[in-house]
Amino acid sequence: VGERWDRARVLALAPDASSLKAARPLVSGRSWPVTGATDGSADGSALWGECQGSAAAPYRTAVDLSGPAYRCSCPSLKFPCKHALALMLLWSDGGVQANGDAPGWASTWLATRAAKASETKDPKPPADPAAAQRRAEQREARVATGLTELDRWLCDQVRQGLAASQRSGYRHWDDIAARMVDAQASGLAERLRALAAVPYSGAGWDGRLLEEYALLRLLATACRDQAALPPPLRDTVRSRVGFTVRQADVLAGAAPVRDHWHVLARRDLDQDRIRTRRAWLRGRRTGRTALVLSFAAIGESLDGSLAVGTETDAELAFYPAAVPLRALVATRHDTVPSGPPSGATITELLAEYAAALGQDPWLEVWPAVLDVTPARAPVPGLHDAAGDAVPLHPGAGDCWPLFALSGGHPLTVAGEWTPRGLWPLTAWDEGGMVVPL
Amino acid sequence: MSEPEGRGAAWTEERRRSDEGRQHLKGAQEASGGTLSTWHDLVTASLIGTERAVVPAVAIPGLPPAEDDTGDPAAVLLDRAALLTAARRAGRRPDRAEPLPVCDPDPRPAVSPAAADRLARILGGEYPELLTEWLTELVARDLRLPPQFLPVLLDGASRGRSKDSAFPHLVAEAGGSRARWLMELNPNWESVLPETLTGDEAWRLGTTSQRRAYLAALRSRDPGAARELIAGSWAAAGPEERVMFVKVMARGLGPADEPLLETALHDGTAWVRAMAADVLAALPESALSRQMTERAVQWLRIRHDKHGPYLAVVAPDDARLLIQAVGLTPLRTWTDAFGLTAAQIVALRSGDWAAVLFTAWVRAAIAQRDGEWTAALIGQALVARLPAAAIQTLGQLVRQADPALGAPDTLPEPGPDTPSAVGAALRVLRFRYEMLKELDGDHDG
């Protein structure tokens, strides 16, 4: 077995508090007459066990730690179920010994998983290249029609005046968003759906709505004229419109970047029955910033492998873009705890963001690591040693834990810089301990 | 709660910035001689709609002026807005902020990361009833509370959600200078510690928790003086305060406390009487204790049959009387009288009385804080098939027992047949043991 995970890393996988509560009584060798784990690298490790529950036959639980992925014979709809959680907690406590060969029921599943994993890494060529080409052309045509329709809709809004939008309700944006889904432009649809909240976002909503409409038209125009764009910007435009790049193509693209990646911050968002986790990484050697996304259905646990405050020696494959931020973890080696990162000044952050906007004007979330002191007036914000300040994002609330942690002294804060302010996510206390906010 | 205010301020801020922008652009306008406008004008035109409003021209300082677009005015407006949006975002200047006062340093050492994680677990809902103990032990060790937890603790203390009137005082003490600093920043927390009263002012003018803190300090310094203060205040005190008085007397208990506790034993409120009885029972020489002991030893005898010794109970039909008498009898009485260890006594057969005796002994072990009996009773619960009602009493026992009993290999491990309530009780002990071990562990200065 590779490095045993600490308790916190296991706990982070629990789908909800009640699963965790149900798992706790099972974290004892007595509940698990049979347990085992594979030897081998951290990537290939797996756990299995038989849990003596209320039923006559024991539940058979297996965990593929490289996912992590879970399988259990219990009827629970939760992932991971209490048995899988308990097994991992037991392992984390040192209660599961490596003993090589998995029993038949576990090894079959693990082998299937391994086969599937290598399949995604090594995709078969499409069965019929001509048909695939035809499908791709149809999609381009559908998106182009959608873009024309969106452009007309946007101009209509501005012609009639945005004042009406405040009274129009969610349907107004849902309808045009649905038409973009039909046009297979999911990126545009997502942006449009988010607009329904803007008229209720407080003073300045009209300006924010105009910004969004303006950037949407810019995106539609850029996509229509994409042939004239330099390739990296074209990739950015296409991905923002909704053309996805297959993971295999990302991995096969530019050479992966190996570095010690420090996980600076993590933010989970729930939207449309999908949970998205954004993990912000910074390479120690290259100084590069990366964004690793993971997704799960509501109620399922998100990928807990990139824990804030740890440093992972890994190779990252970046998605092609004008400002390459999003990345995939191609190969993972060791993970070790890490201290506080070095923070920038506010002037440096704003300059960095300005430079990035020059490459990608739609960039609305930018990773920030600042050495700052929190302030409360005129609005909750952060100021640096030079006296420069930025506000906290109004949606982030009062963020009292950040103030409590600081006590009026400077600290290192990591978060997401947005046009509305900084959304703080992580802070390091005076002793260098990482504190998720 | 301050959200609307915050938005108001943000709005003012935005206006200020936009006005600054206007000044800035005006300068550029004079330089270039073209027609210029600002973001604000674009927003106004977009609100009205280009059917009725003229599209304002836009120029970005440092960029050549946009050519006059002759297309659809709505499209022209959106294109200009896109340009200005990118320019405003990229050209954003830092704000200014009012620095906060700096918090006084807290010289107490920080707790270990493991201890901070434990507090996060308790606050996250795992054994929330152990929060008071965690904080009390932190204060006793003179350690610093990880400050990021203060907001949630101050919320709990100020809304009076805790039934324990001493909780706000405990939070303020654990939080030290950082808690006072936060209270000054957030008016919602001011009520946690209204003012620091010193000396006998705290006694005369303070809240219940301040009076309790004053009295407890006096009791540890001079038990007699505390007793006299209580005696003098007894008549005017309400039932809640009388319970507090009796609780304070449990520490530093001596024979001289007996008369006052006897008075409490005849109090009009059952709650006060029960508390006084528990405290008196811990005083082996007290009349109550002697009386109960006399009764109990009459009722419980060791007998022998062909299977060996057993406990014969010759008691009145009312089990409550037996529970009361055995519960208030010093536990040493039994080990002395029977010449057996606590573990041997609780394992004796007692027929139908087993559950009643178990409950009574648990009650005695709680009141007398007896580690040997606590261990014996938990050990017995692991092997004996006791009714659920008797096992329930373990819940309180393990929350008050010496946490050292939770150390690995101190108590037998639960088996597959162990009732889940016993397993749960053992996990509480383990949790408390680990909690204290972490607080005792290495801490950095």
Side-chain angles (χ1 to χ4, degrees), chain B residues 95-111:
Chain B
D95 299 338
R96 290 274 137 182
E98 241 170 71
L100 289 173
V102 173
C103 176
D104 290 335
D106 189 334
R108 298 175 294 181
V111 300

Side-chain angles (χ1 to χ4, degrees), chain B residues 249-401:
Chain B
M249 287 179 75
R251 296 279 160 109
L253 196 62
D257 295 321
E258 195 183 346
L260 185 53
L261 288 169
E262 279 286 342
T263 313
L265 202 56
H266 300 100
D267 195 85
T269 308
W271 192 20
V272 179
R273 291 199 300 272
M275 182 54 68
D278 274 351
V279 175
L280 271 172
L283 198 61
E285 306 83 7
S286 72
L288 175 78
S289 179
R290 276 199 306 273
Q291 188 191 342
M292 289 297 157
T293 306
E294 269 166 34
R295 244 187 237 176
V297 296
Q298 291 297 318
W299 291 344
L300 277 194
R301 297 287 173 82
I302 293 226
R303 296 267 185 275
H304 289 79
D305 63 11
K306 59 182 177 186
H307 304 293
Y310 69 98
L311 268 180
V313 179
V314 208
D317 288 337
D318 192 344
R320 277 177 304 173
L321 286 177
L322 181 67
I323 291 179
Q324 188 193 36
V326 174
L328 293 175
T329 298
L331 285 161
R332 225 188 37 228
T333 312
W334 308 112
T335 38
D336 289 352
F338 300 156
L340 298 172
T341 65
Q344 287 168 326
I345 294 171
V346 297
L348 286 171
R349 287 171 293 136
S350 54
D352 294 344
W353 291 97
V356 171
L357 279 174
F358 185 84
T359 306
W361 276 325
V362 166
R363 189 177 281 196
I366 291 170
Q368 297 166 38
R369 296 172 191 273
D370 190 307
E372 188 197 347
W373 278 82
T374 301
L377 288 161
I378 293 171
Q380 178 66 8
L382 279 169
V383 293
R385 302 203 158 273
L386 291 160
I391 293 175
Q392 289 309 324
T393 59
L394 277 182
Q396 202 195 340
L397 181 63
V398 293
R399 281 168 176 80
Q400 304 206 348

Side-chain angles (χ1 to χ4, degrees), chain B residues 64-86:
Chain B
E67 291 145 42
D68 268 335
D69 261 303
T70 48
D72 176 1
V76 172
L77 189 150
L78 282 171
D79 290 346
R80 291 180 184 172
L83 190 62
L84 203 48
T85 296

Side-chain angles (χ1 to χ4, degrees), chain A residues 30-416:
Chain A
R30 307 267 175 166
S31 301
W32 297 88
V34 176
T35 58
T38 46
D39 303 305
S41 74
D43 275 347
S45 325
L47 312 172
W48 60 84
E50 293 186 0
C51 182
Q52 195 60 60
S54 47
Y59 290 125
R60 289 170 159 182
T61 312
V63 179
D64 178 349
L65 293 163
S66 65
Y70 322 96
R71 186 188 177 86
C72 185
S73 60
C74 79
S76 169
L77 297 175
K78 304 267 181 70
F79 273 93
C81 67
K82 62 178 179 179
H83 305 103
L85 276 174
L87 181 61
M88 286 189 285
L89 285 170
L90 195 63
W91 171 64
S92 160
D93 281 350
V96 174
Q97 302 311 316
N99 54 5
D101 297 324
W105 56 267
S107 62
T108 315
W109 176 68
L110 291 167
T112 321
R113 283 212 23 99
K116 265 195 200 149
S118 64
E119 214 169 88
T120 35
K121 279 182 186 160
D122 186 18
K124 297 184 195 88
D128 180 354
Q133 176 70 23
R134 226 172 18 252
R135 275 198 303 277
E137 280 166 11
Q138 278 169 0
R139 173 154 191 212
E140 296 287 344
R142 226 174 261 147
V143 170
T145 315
L147 291 173
T148 311
E149 189 181 356
L150 175 64
D151 193 14
R152 200 182 316 126
W153 184 87
L154 289 167
C155 289
D156 284 347
Q157 304 308 305
V158 173
R159 200 170 298 119
Q160 290 153 18
L162 303 185
S165 305
Q166 205 170 22
R167 297 184 297 272
S168 36
Y170 278 73
R171 276 296 292 273
H172 184 64
W173 291 279
D174 276 356
D175 287 348
I176 181 71
R179 295 212 289 282
M180 289 307 111
V181 171
D182 293 343
Q184 293 185 293
S186 58
L188 297 174
E190 211 174 286
R191 260 184 114 104
L192 284 160
R193 235 178 272 125
L195 292 185
V198 172
Y200 307 100
S201 65
W205 70 269
D206 42 9
R208 285 191 288 280
L209 193 59
L210 179 60
E211 285 179 345
E212 287 298 325
Y213 283 172
L215 290 172
L216 271 166
R217 178 173 142 83
L218 185 64
L219 190 55
T221 317
C223 193
R224 210 168 45 210
D225 302 339
Q226 57 179 285
L229 301 176
L233 185 57
R234 186 162 64 225
D235 289 329
T236 291
V237 167
R238 287 176 64 83
S239 89
R240 290 196 183 278
V241 165
F243 289 97
T244 46
V245 184
R246 289 188 312 162
Q247 297 204 352
D249 293 339
V250 176
L251 294 168
V257 182
R258 180 160 184 180
D259 204 339
H260 286 84
W261 296 96
H262 189 174
V263 186
L264 299 171
R266 215 156 73 170
R267 183 167 172 203
D268 296 347
L269 298 138
D270 285 358
Q271 48 189 175
D272 292 336
R273 294 183 300 282
I274 298 285
R275 300 177 70 197
T276 305
R277 170 166 287 173
R278 298 207 280 244
W280 293 102
L281 279 52
R282 188 203 264 171
R284 191 206 293 172
R285 183 176 54 79
T286 58
R288 275 187 80 156
T289 311
L291 169 64
V292 177
L293 296 180
S294 52
F295 305 93
I298 300 278
E300 292 187 4
S301 63
L302 284 154
D303 176 15
S305 60
L306 294 170
V308 173
T310 62
E311 205 171 84
T312 301
D313 176 10
E315 283 168 32
L316 294 194
F318 283 83
Y319 282 75
V323 182
L325 269 183
R326 187 172 171 202
L328 285 176
V329 180
T331 321
R332 188 182 313 225
H333 306 277
D334 285 341
T335 296
V336 291
S338 186
S342 64
T345 66
I346 282 170
T347 312
E348 284 165 347
L349 168 69
L350 295 179
E352 245 178 47
Y353 179 57
L357 276 180
Q359 306 294 309
D360 175 358
W362 299 279
L363 202 57
E364 282 174 326
V365 181
W366 183 251
V369 184
L370 296 168
D371 282 333
V372 277
T373 311
R376 295 208 62 82
V379 292
L382 304 166
H383 69 85
D384 63 14
D388 292 331
V390 285
L392 293 179
H393 192 290
D398 272 323
C399 223
W400 280 111
L402 177 64
F403 285 86
L405 199 62
S406 140
H409 299 281
L411 34 70
T412 304
V413 177
E416 294 178 348

